Coordinates of all heavy atoms in Angstrom, one line a residue:
M1 N -8.6 5.6 15.4 CA -7.8 4.5 15.2 C -7.7 4.1 13.8 O -8.7 4.0 13.1 CB -8.4 3.3 16.0 CG -7.7 2.0 15.8 SD -8.4 0.7 16.8 CE -7.5 -0.7 16.1
L2 N -6.5 4.0 13.2 CA -6.3 3.7 11.9 C -5.8 2.2 11.8 O -4.9 1.8 12.5 CB -5.3 4.6 11.2 CG -5.7 6.1 11.1 CD1 -4.5 6.9 10.5 CD2 -6.9 6.2 10.2
G3 N -6.4 1.5 10.9 CA -6.0 0.1 10.7 C -4.7 0.1 9.8 O -4.7 0.6 8.8
S4 N -3.7 -0.6 10.3 CA -2.4 -0.7 9.6 C -1.6 -1.9 10.2 O -1.7 -2.2 11.4 CB -1.6 0.6 9.8 OG -0.3 0.5 9.2
I5 N -0.7 -2.4 9.3 CA 0.2 -3.4 9.8 C 1.5 -2.8 10.3 O 2.3 -3.6 10.8 CB 0.4 -4.5 8.7 CG1 1.0 -3.8 7.5 CG2 -0.8 -5.2 8.4 CD1 1.5 -4.8 6.4
H6 N 1.7 -1.5 10.1 CA 2.9 -0.9 10.5 C 2.8 -0.3 11.9 O 1.7 0.1 12.3 CB 3.2 0.3 9.5 CG 3.3 -0.2 8.1 ND1 4.4 -1.0 7.7 CD2 2.5 -0.1 7.0 CE1 4.2 -1.3 6.4 NE2 3.1 -0.8 6.0
K7 N 4.0 -0.2 12.5 CA 4.0 0.5 13.9 C 3.9 2.0 13.6 O 4.2 2.5 12.5 CB 5.3 0.2 14.5 CG 5.5 -1.3 14.9 CD 6.8 -1.6 15.6 CE 6.9 -3.0 15.9 NZ 8.2 -3.4 16.5
I8 N 3.5 2.7 14.7 CA 3.3 4.1 14.6 C 4.5 4.9 14.1 O 4.4 5.9 13.3 CB 2.7 4.7 15.9 CG1 2.2 6.1 15.7 CG2 3.8 4.7 16.9 CD1 0.9 6.2 15.0
D9 N 5.7 4.5 14.4 CA 6.9 5.3 14.0 C 7.5 4.7 12.7 O 8.6 5.1 12.3 CB 7.9 5.3 15.2 CG 8.3 3.9 15.6 OD1 7.7 2.9 15.2 OD2 9.3 3.8 16.4
E10 N 6.9 3.7 12.1 CA 7.4 3.1 10.9 C 6.8 3.7 9.7 O 5.6 3.9 9.7 CB 7.1 1.6 11.0 CG 7.6 0.8 9.9 CD 7.3 -0.7 10.1 OE1 7.1 -1.2 11.2 OE2 7.1 -1.4 9.1
A11 N 7.6 4.0 8.6 CA 7.0 4.5 7.4 C 6.2 3.5 6.7 O 6.6 2.3 6.7 CB 8.2 5.0 6.5
S12 N 5.1 3.9 6.0 CA 4.3 3.0 5.2 C 4.6 3.2 3.7 O 5.1 4.2 3.4 CB 2.8 3.2 5.6 OG 2.5 4.5 5.2
A13 N 4.2 2.2 3.0 CA 4.5 2.4 1.5 C 3.5 3.4 0.9 O 2.5 3.6 1.4 CB 4.2 1.0 0.9
N14 N 4.0 4.0 -0.2 CA 3.2 5.0 -0.9 C 1.9 4.5 -1.4 O 0.9 5.3 -1.6 CB 4.0 5.7 -2.0 CG 5.1 6.5 -1.4 OD1 5.1 7.0 -0.3 ND2 6.2 6.7 -2.2
D15 N 1.8 3.3 -1.7 CA 0.6 2.7 -2.3 C -0.5 2.2 -1.3 O -1.5 1.8 -1.6 CB 0.8 1.6 -3.3 CG 1.5 0.4 -2.6 OD1 2.0 0.5 -1.5 OD2 1.6 -0.7 -3.2
E16 N -0.2 2.4 0.0 CA -1.1 2.1 1.1 C -2.1 3.2 1.4 O -1.7 4.4 1.4 CB -0.4 1.6 2.3 CG 0.4 0.3 2.1 CD 1.0 -0.2 3.4 OE1 0.9 0.6 4.4 OE2 1.7 -1.2 3.3
I17 N -3.3 2.9 1.7 CA -4.3 3.9 2.0 C -4.8 3.6 3.4 O -5.2 2.5 3.7 CB -5.5 3.8 1.1 CG1 -5.1 4.1 -0.4 CG2 -6.6 4.8 1.4 CD1 -6.1 3.9 -1.4
P18 N -4.7 4.5 4.4 CA -5.1 4.3 5.7 C -6.6 4.1 5.8 O -7.4 4.7 5.0 CB -4.7 5.5 6.5 CG -4.6 6.6 5.5 CD -4.2 5.9 4.2
L19 N -7.1 3.3 6.7 CA -8.5 3.0 6.9 C -8.8 3.3 8.4 O -8.3 2.7 9.3 CB -8.8 1.5 6.7 CG -10.2 1.0 7.1 CD1 -11.2 1.6 6.2 CD2 -10.2 -0.5 7.1
A20 N -9.8 4.3 8.6 CA -10.2 4.7 9.9 C -11.4 3.8 10.3 O -12.3 3.6 9.5 CB -10.6 6.1 9.9
V21 N -11.3 3.2 11.5 CA -12.4 2.3 12.0 C -13.2 3.0 13.1 O -14.4 2.7 13.4 CB -11.9 0.9 12.3 CG1 -11.5 0.1 11.1 CG2 -10.8 1.0 13.4
V22 N -12.5 3.9 13.8 CA -13.2 4.7 14.9 C -12.4 5.9 15.1 O -11.2 5.9 15.1 CB -13.4 3.8 16.1 CG1 -12.1 3.4 16.8 CG2 -14.2 4.5 17.1
G23 N -13.1 7.0 15.4 CA -12.4 8.2 15.8 C -12.8 9.4 14.9 O -13.7 9.4 14.1
I24 N -12.1 10.6 15.1 CA -12.4 11.8 14.3 C -11.3 11.9 13.3 O -10.1 11.9 13.6 CB -12.4 13.0 15.2 CG1 -13.5 12.9 16.2 CG2 -12.5 14.3 14.4 CD1 -13.5 13.9 17.3
V25 N -11.7 11.8 12.0 CA -10.7 11.9 10.9 C -11.2 12.9 9.8 O -12.3 13.1 9.7 CB -10.6 10.4 10.3 CG1 -10.0 9.5 11.3 CG2 -11.9 9.9 9.8
P26 N -10.2 13.3 9.1 CA -10.6 14.2 7.9 C -11.2 13.3 6.8 O -10.7 12.2 6.6 CB -9.2 14.8 7.5 CG -8.2 13.9 8.0 CD -8.8 13.2 9.2
C27 N -12.2 13.8 6.1 CA -12.8 13.1 5.1 C -13.2 14.0 3.9 O -13.7 15.1 4.1 CB -14.2 12.5 5.7 SG -15.1 11.5 4.5
K28 N -12.9 13.5 2.7 CA -13.3 14.2 1.5 C -14.8 14.2 1.3 O -15.4 13.1 1.4 CB -12.6 13.6 0.3 CG -11.1 13.8 0.2 CD -10.6 13.1 -1.0 CE -9.1 13.1 -1.0 NZ -8.6 12.4 -2.2
V29 N -15.5 15.3 1.2 CA -16.9 15.3 1.0 C -17.3 16.2 -0.1 O -16.6 17.0 -0.6 CB -17.6 15.8 2.3 CG1 -17.4 14.8 3.4 CG2 -17.1 17.1 2.7
T30 N -18.5 16.0 -0.6 CA -19.1 16.8 -1.7 C -20.5 17.2 -1.3 O -21.2 16.4 -0.6 CB -19.1 16.0 -3.0 OG1 -19.7 16.9 -4.0 CG2 -19.8 14.7 -2.9
A31 N -21.0 18.3 -1.7 CA -22.4 18.8 -1.5 C -23.3 18.4 -2.6 O -24.3 19.1 -2.8 CB -22.3 20.3 -1.2
E32 N -23.0 17.4 -3.3 CA -23.8 17.0 -4.4 C -25.3 16.6 -4.0 O -26.2 16.6 -4.9 CB -23.2 15.8 -5.2 CG -23.2 14.5 -4.6 CD -22.5 13.4 -5.4 OE1 -21.3 13.5 -5.6 OE2 -23.2 12.5 -5.9
N33 N -25.5 16.2 -2.7 CA -26.8 15.8 -2.3 C -27.3 16.8 -1.3 O -28.2 16.6 -0.5 CB -26.7 14.4 -1.6 CG -28.1 13.8 -1.6 OD1 -28.9 14.0 -2.4 ND2 -28.2 12.8 -0.7
G34 N -26.8 18.0 -1.4 CA -27.2 19.1 -0.5 C -26.1 19.6 0.4 O -25.2 18.8 0.6
S35 N -26.2 20.8 0.9 CA -25.2 21.3 1.8 C -25.1 20.4 3.1 O -26.1 19.9 3.6 CB -25.5 22.8 2.2 OG -26.7 22.9 2.8
I36 N -23.9 20.3 3.7 CA -23.7 19.5 4.8 C -23.6 20.5 6.0 O -22.9 21.5 6.0 CB -22.4 18.7 4.7 CG1 -22.5 17.7 3.5 CG2 -22.0 17.9 5.9 CD1 -21.2 17.0 3.1
V37 N -24.2 20.0 7.1 CA -24.1 20.8 8.4 C -23.7 19.8 9.4 O -23.8 18.6 9.3 CB -25.5 21.4 8.8 CG1 -25.9 22.5 7.8 CG2 -26.5 20.4 9.0
A38 N -23.1 20.3 10.5 CA -22.6 19.4 11.6 C -23.8 18.6 12.1 O -24.8 19.1 12.3 CB -22.0 20.3 12.7
G39 N -23.6 17.3 12.2 CA -24.6 16.3 12.7 C -25.2 15.5 11.6 O -25.9 14.5 11.8
D40 N -25.0 15.9 10.3 CA -25.5 15.1 9.2 C -24.8 13.8 9.1 O -23.6 13.7 9.3 CB -25.3 15.9 7.8 CG -26.3 17.0 7.6 OD1 -27.4 17.0 8.3 OD2 -26.0 17.8 6.7
L41 N -25.5 12.8 8.7 CA -25.0 11.4 8.5 C -24.5 11.4 7.0 O -25.1 11.9 6.2 CB -26.0 10.3 8.7 CG -26.5 10.2 10.2 CD1 -27.6 9.1 10.2 CD2 -25.3 9.9 11.1
L42 N -23.3 10.8 6.8 CA -22.7 10.8 5.5 C -22.6 9.5 4.9 O -22.4 8.5 5.7 CB -21.3 11.4 5.6 CG -21.1 12.8 6.2 CD1 -19.7 13.2 6.4 CD2 -21.9 13.8 5.4
V43 N -22.8 9.4 3.6 CA -22.8 8.1 2.9 C -21.9 8.3 1.7 O -21.5 9.4 1.3 CB -24.2 7.7 2.4 CG1 -25.1 7.4 3.6 CG2 -24.8 8.7 1.5
A44 N -21.5 7.2 1.0 CA -20.7 7.2 -0.2 C -21.4 8.1 -1.3 O -22.7 8.0 -1.4 CB -20.4 5.9 -0.7
S45 N -20.6 8.8 -2.1 CA -21.2 9.6 -3.1 C -20.8 9.1 -4.5 O -20.0 8.2 -4.6 CB -20.8 11.1 -3.0 OG -19.5 11.3 -3.6
S46 N -21.3 9.6 -5.6 CA -21.0 9.2 -6.9 C -19.6 9.8 -7.3 O -19.0 9.3 -8.2 CB -22.0 9.6 -7.9 OG -22.1 11.0 -8.0
T47 N -19.1 10.7 -6.5 CA -17.7 11.3 -6.7 C -16.8 10.4 -6.0 O -16.8 10.2 -4.8 CB -17.6 12.7 -6.1 OG1 -18.7 13.5 -6.7 CG2 -16.3 13.3 -6.4
L48 N -15.9 9.7 -6.9 CA -15.0 8.7 -6.4 C -14.2 9.3 -5.1 O -13.6 10.3 -5.2 CB -14.0 8.3 -7.5 CG -13.1 7.2 -7.2 CD1 -13.9 5.9 -6.8 CD2 -12.1 7.0 -8.3
G49 N -14.2 8.5 -4.0 CA -13.4 8.8 -2.8 C -14.0 9.9 -2.0 O -13.3 10.4 -1.0
H50 N -15.3 10.3 -2.2 CA -15.9 11.3 -1.4 C -17.2 10.7 -0.7 O -17.8 9.8 -1.2 CB -16.3 12.5 -2.3 CG -15.2 13.3 -2.7 ND1 -14.2 12.8 -3.6 CD2 -14.8 14.6 -2.5 CE1 -13.3 13.8 -3.9 NE2 -13.7 14.9 -3.2
A51 N -17.6 11.4 0.4 CA -18.8 11.1 1.0 C -19.8 12.3 0.8 O -19.3 13.4 0.3 CB -18.6 11.0 2.5
M52 N -21.1 12.1 0.9 CA -22.1 13.2 0.8 C -23.1 13.0 1.9 O -23.2 12.0 2.5 CB -22.7 13.1 -0.6 CG -23.6 11.8 -0.8 SD -24.4 11.8 -2.4 CE -25.3 10.3 -2.3
K53 N -23.9 14.0 2.0 CA -25.0 14.0 3.0 C -26.0 12.9 2.6 O -26.5 12.8 1.4 CB -25.7 15.4 3.0 CG -27.0 15.5 3.8 CD -27.5 16.9 3.6 CE -28.7 17.1 4.5 NZ -29.1 18.5 4.4
G54 N -26.4 12.1 3.6 CA -27.5 11.1 3.4 C -28.8 11.7 3.7 O -29.0 12.4 4.7
T55 N -29.8 11.5 2.8 CA -31.1 12.1 2.9 C -32.2 11.1 3.1 O -33.2 11.4 3.7 CB -31.4 13.1 1.8 OG1 -31.3 12.4 0.6 CG2 -30.4 14.2 1.8
D56 N -32.1 9.9 2.6 CA -33.1 8.9 2.7 C -32.8 7.8 3.7 O -32.1 6.9 3.4 CB -33.3 8.3 1.3 CG -34.5 7.3 1.3 OD1 -35.1 7.0 2.4 OD2 -34.9 7.0 0.2
R57 N -33.2 8.0 4.9 CA -32.8 7.1 6.0 C -33.2 5.7 5.8 O -32.6 4.7 6.3 CB -33.4 7.6 7.4 CG -32.7 8.9 7.9 CD -33.1 9.1 9.3 NE -32.5 10.4 9.8 CZ -31.4 10.4 10.5 NH1 -30.9 9.3 11.0 NH2 -30.9 11.5 10.9
S58 N -34.2 5.4 5.0 CA -34.6 4.0 4.7 C -33.6 3.3 3.8 O -33.5 2.1 3.8 CB -36.0 4.0 4.0 OG -35.9 4.6 2.7
K59 N -32.8 4.0 3.1 CA -31.7 3.5 2.3 C -30.3 3.6 3.0 O -29.3 3.1 2.4 CB -31.6 4.2 0.9 CG -33.0 4.0 0.1 CD -32.8 4.7 -1.2 CE -34.1 4.5 -2.0 NZ -34.0 5.2 -3.3
M60 N -30.2 4.2 4.1 CA -28.9 4.4 4.7 C -28.4 3.3 5.6 O -27.2 3.3 6.0 CB -28.9 5.8 5.5 CG -29.0 7.0 4.6 SD -29.4 8.5 5.3 CE -28.2 8.6 6.7
L61 N -29.3 2.4 6.0 CA -28.9 1.3 7.0 C -27.7 0.5 6.4 O -27.8 0.0 5.3 CB -30.0 0.4 7.3 CG -29.8 -0.7 8.3 CD1 -29.5 0.0 9.7 CD2 -31.0 -1.6 8.4
G62 N -26.6 0.5 7.0 CA -25.4 -0.2 6.6 C -24.5 0.6 5.6 O -23.5 0.1 5.2
A63 N -25.0 1.8 5.3 CA -24.2 2.6 4.2 C -23.6 3.9 4.9 O -23.0 4.6 4.1 CB -25.2 3.0 3.1
I64 N -23.8 4.1 6.1 CA -23.3 5.3 6.7 C -21.8 5.2 6.9 O -21.2 4.3 7.5 CB -24.0 5.6 8.1 CG1 -25.5 5.8 7.9 CG2 -23.3 6.8 8.8 CD1 -26.3 5.8 9.1
V65 N -21.1 6.3 6.5 CA -19.6 6.5 6.6 C -19.3 7.0 7.9 O -18.3 6.6 8.6 CB -19.1 7.3 5.4 CG1 -17.6 7.6 5.6 CG2 -19.3 6.7 4.1
G66 N -20.1 8.1 8.4 CA -19.8 8.7 9.6 C -20.7 9.9 9.8 O -21.6 10.1 9.0
K67 N -20.4 10.7 10.8 CA -21.3 11.9 11.1 C -20.4 13.2 11.0 O -19.3 13.2 11.5 CB -21.8 11.9 12.5 CG -22.7 13.0 12.9 CD -23.2 12.9 14.3 CE -24.3 11.9 14.3 NZ -25.1 12.0 15.6
A68 N -20.9 14.1 10.2 CA -20.2 15.4 9.9 C -20.0 16.1 11.2 O -21.0 16.3 12.0 CB -20.9 16.2 8.9
L69 N -18.8 16.7 11.5 CA -18.6 17.5 12.6 C -18.4 19.0 12.2 O -18.3 19.8 13.1 CB -17.4 17.0 13.3 CG -17.5 15.6 13.9 CD1 -16.1 15.2 14.6 CD2 -18.6 15.5 14.9
E70 N -18.3 19.2 10.9 CA -18.1 20.5 10.3 C -19.1 20.7 9.1 O -19.5 19.7 8.5 CB -16.7 20.7 9.9 CG -15.7 20.6 10.9 CD -14.3 20.8 10.4 OE1 -13.9 20.0 9.5 OE2 -13.6 21.7 10.8
P71 N -19.4 21.9 8.8 CA -20.2 22.2 7.6 C -19.5 22.2 6.3 O -18.3 22.4 6.3 CB -20.9 23.6 7.9 CG -19.7 24.3 8.7 CD -19.1 23.2 9.5
L72 N -20.2 22.0 5.2 CA -19.7 22.2 3.9 C -20.9 22.8 3.1 O -21.8 22.0 2.6 CB -19.2 20.9 3.2 CG -18.6 21.1 1.8 CD1 -17.3 21.8 1.8 CD2 -18.6 19.8 1.0
P73 N -21.0 24.1 2.9 CA -22.2 24.7 2.3 C -22.3 24.3 0.8 O -23.4 24.2 0.3 CB -21.9 26.2 2.4 CG -20.7 26.4 3.3 CD -20.0 25.1 3.4
A74 N -21.2 24.2 0.0 CA -21.3 23.9 -1.4 C -20.0 23.4 -1.8 O -18.9 23.5 -1.2 CB -21.6 25.3 -2.1
G75 N -20.0 22.8 -3.1 CA -18.8 22.2 -3.7 C -18.3 21.0 -3.0 O -19.0 20.2 -2.6
S76 N -16.9 20.9 -3.0 CA -16.3 19.8 -2.3 C -15.2 20.2 -1.4 O -14.7 21.3 -1.6 CB -15.8 18.7 -3.3 OG -14.8 19.3 -4.1
G77 N -14.8 19.4 -0.5 CA -13.7 19.8 0.4 C -13.4 18.7 1.4 O -13.9 17.6 1.3
V78 N -12.7 19.0 2.5 CA -12.4 18.1 3.5 C -12.9 18.6 4.8 O -12.6 19.8 5.2 CB -10.8 17.9 3.6 CG1 -10.4 16.9 4.7 CG2 -10.3 17.3 2.2
I79 N -13.6 17.8 5.6 CA -14.1 18.2 6.9 C -13.8 17.1 7.9 O -13.5 15.9 7.5 CB -15.7 18.4 6.9 CG1 -16.4 17.2 6.5 CG2 -16.0 19.6 5.9 CD1 -18.0 17.3 6.7
Q80 N -13.9 17.4 9.1 CA -13.8 16.4 10.2 C -15.0 15.5 10.3 O -16.1 16.1 10.3 CB -13.4 17.1 11.5 CG -12.1 17.8 11.5 CD -10.9 16.8 11.4 OE1 -10.8 15.9 12.1 NE2 -10.1 17.1 10.5
V81 N -14.8 14.3 10.5 CA -16.0 13.3 10.5 C -15.8 12.3 11.7 O -14.6 11.9 11.9 CB -16.2 12.5 9.2 CG1 -17.2 11.5 9.3 CG2 -16.5 13.5 8.0
L82 N -16.9 12.0 12.4 CA -16.8 11.0 13.4 C -17.1 9.7 12.8 O -18.2 9.5 12.3 CB -17.8 11.3 14.5 CG -17.9 10.3 15.6 CD1 -16.6 10.1 16.4 CD2 -19.0 10.7 16.6
V83 N -16.1 8.7 12.9 CA -16.3 7.4 12.3 C -16.5 6.4 13.4 O -15.7 6.4 14.4 CB -15.1 7.0 11.5 CG1 -15.2 5.6 10.9 CG2 -14.9 8.0 10.3
T84 N -17.5 5.6 13.3 CA -17.7 4.5 14.3 C -18.4 3.4 13.6 O -19.5 3.1 13.7 CB -18.7 4.9 15.5 OG1 -19.9 5.4 14.9 CG2 -18.1 6.0 16.3
L85 N -17.5 2.7 12.8 CA -18.0 1.6 12.0 C -18.4 0.4 12.9 O -17.7 0.1 13.9 CB -16.9 1.1 11.0 CG -16.5 2.1 10.0 CD1 -15.4 1.5 9.1 CD2 -17.7 2.5 9.1
Q86 N -19.6 -0.2 12.6 CA -20.1 -1.3 13.4 C -20.4 -2.4 12.6 O -20.8 -2.4 11.5 CB -21.3 -0.8 14.2 CG -21.1 0.3 15.1 CD -22.3 0.8 15.8 OE1 -23.4 0.2 15.8 NE2 -22.2 2.0 16.4

């Protein structure tokens, strides 16, 4: 589910950015905090607009972006992520 004020068949403005609140969505990720495997919890990274593998569970409460559904061994890329914001 993407949050939007537009109907599904209506074009949106170029300066609008979709916001996923629940579902499986593509997400930009980076392996700056280690390689990502399916099932890893993802948090915001220092690379603007990207998520990374979360490793310190004591600091992740309220910071989780979603759960990786695909691997990213190195570098950066786009993978499918399960988003369930609460």
Side-chain angles (χ1 to χ4, degrees):
M1 177 177 168
L2 294 175
S4 175
I5 59 171
H6 302 286
K7 295 180 181 178
I8 193 71
D9 58 350
E10 185 180 331
S12 60
N14 289 336
D15 62 347
E16 291 183 359
I17 299 171
L19 169 68
V21 291
V22 64
I24 297 172
V25 295
C27 181
K28 294 179 186 176
V29 293
T30 176
E32 72 180 67
N33 203 24
S35 62
I36 297 170
V37 297
D40 281 343
L41 296 177
L42 304 175
V43 296
S45 82
S46 63
T47 304
L48 186 61
H50 288 66
M52 67 179 180
K53 174 182 182 173
T55 55
D56 187 349
R57 289 193 181 257
S58 67
K59 295 180 181 178
M60 290 170 46
L61 185 62
I64 296 171
V65 173
K67 183 179 279 193
L69 298 178
E70 298 179 300
L72 181 77
S76 62
V78 177
I79 63 170
Q80 294 293 310
V81 171
L82 175 63
V83 175
T84 55
L85 296 179
Q86 297 179 14

